[in-house]
Amino acid sequence: MRRDRDGQGVERRGVPLPADRPARLLSATGRGAATAGTGRVGWFDCAAGAAGDMLLAALVDAGADLDVVAEHVGRLGVEPMTLRRTLVERHAIGAVKIDVLAPADAEHRTWKGVRALLDAADLPGPVAALAHDAFARLAAAEGRVHRIDPQDVHFHEVGALDALADVVGVASALHLLELDELHASPVALGSGTSRGSHGLIPVPAPATLEILRAAQAPCYAGPSPREMCTPTGAALLAAAVTTWGQLPRMVPRAIGVGAGSRDLAEVPNVVRLVVGDRA
């Protein structure tokens, strides 16, 4: 499984997906479904791919309260973790970067173990639901890639403390922004090879491709010959996005820019989030 620090319902093509996925974000906000001409809309620009920390940083920069997000992450009942916010630049564009400061963690958690952590965390219902959904997609994808039952999947990097914080943090931040709809652009994936816990693997990572295939999400190689979208980033997008495409019609109210760790030559390494009112 790939590291994410730089990126029960119906059966569809053999991968279990939530039957109510497009409505989950709407019900999670407490605002109700949007009607024509009304509603709060978000759109992720994934021209530089997506990773859990980049998505979280964009959400915080767009207005999600980092203190509340950190309090939700702290409910996981694992070693103490700190979410650190810093301001950086990527191609002269100002952005927020979120780092998870956590002890070294060598534990390879199973999907069952991750579920137990989430269940015991006493998270708000919508936050727990989205976090469960993202990890379920990761388990299903890894199971398909390795040709094993998802229940037998052992998470490596995405089961580590920082990845747990990214998933719960993104779920919490989305809940705080109270979006009625969440859209996203086609996702840049990268190309070439990358080294993970299983050695060299092709980019896009097999799990990333499988997650996006199952979600029927549009994607493409993108400009950079390295990993641009991580499995965790893909799983969070697949779990939360209601519609894929270009920027929808809206009146922008807030823009968040979340930076990745690398400063790429080919493209600003950021995820942008535009939040606005449906126009």
Side-chain angles (χ1 to χ4, degrees):
M1 186 72 73
R2 314 281 298 126
R3 178 163 287 278
D4 186 46
R5 303 304 307 165
D6 244 295
Q8 310 301 311
V10 299
E11 289 282 325
R12 186 183 301 168
R13 299 186 187 176
V15 178
L17 292 175
D20 61 340
R21 182 186 66 80
R24 175 167 293 170
L25 181 66
L26 308 186
S27 61
T29 65
R31 294 168 61 91
T35 57
T38 66
R40 196 172 193 191
V41 181
W43 177 73
F44 276 125
D45 177 5
C46 301
D53 57 334
M54 297 169 72
L55 296 169
L56 177 56
L59 289 158
V60 168
D61 196 33
D65 189 328
L66 184 59
D67 290 336
V68 177
V69 171
E71 193 275 327
H72 288 161
V73 170
R75 297 186 191 183
L76 283 170
V78 293
E79 291 86 342
M81 294 181 282
T82 300
L83 303 184
R84 182 180 65 189
R85 170 172 40 193
T86 56
L87 297 179
V88 300
E89 285 190 355
R90 297 291 182 262
H91 288 220
I93 297 173
V96 165
K97 189 174 186 302
I98 300 291
D99 291 297
V100 179
L101 307 181
D105 181 31
E107 183 175 352
H108 292 169
R109 295 177 176 84
T110 63
W111 173 209
K112 179 180 179 180
V114 171
R115 283 202 309 271
L117 282 175
L118 296 174
D119 288 340
D122 192 28
L123 296 166
V127 177
L130 187 58
H132 271 284
D133 190 340
F135 274 112
R137 292 170 189 273
L138 284 161
E142 285 293 331
R144 190 174 180 93
V145 167
H146 296 293
R147 311 299 173 96
I148 61 175
D149 191 302
Q151 301 303 320
D152 297 329
V153 166
H154 282 72
F155 295 125
H156 295 282
E157 286 91 342
V158 300
L161 293 175
D162 53 1
L164 286 166
D166 285 344
V167 170
V168 173
V170 168
S172 171
L174 279 168
H175 177 55
L176 293 172
L177 288 185
E178 296 187 312
L179 302 178
D180 294 302
E181 301 174 19
L182 181 62
H183 304 253
S185 72
V187 186
L189 303 183
S191 59
T193 60
S194 182
R195 186 172 296 277
S197 59
H198 299 295
L200 280 177
I201 63 170
V203 174
T208 299
L209 268 183
E210 176 56 32
I211 290 165
L212 296 176
R213 179 203 67 80
Q216 299 181 2
C219 53
Y220 62 105
S224 184
R226 53 184 55 81
E227 184 180 49
M228 300 182 71
C229 182
T230 65
T232 304
L236 285 164
L237 289 172
V241 169
T242 52
T243 305
W244 302 91
Q246 298 304 314
L247 179 69
R249 184 182 176 93
M250 70 167 83
V251 178
R253 302 299 185 189
I255 300 169
V257 184
S261 297
R262 294 171 174 164
D263 196 358
L264 303 177
E266 300 86 1
V267 64
N269 190 24
V270 298
V271 167
R272 293 191 298 166
L273 172 65
V274 183
V275 175
D277 298 324
R278 177 177 290 281

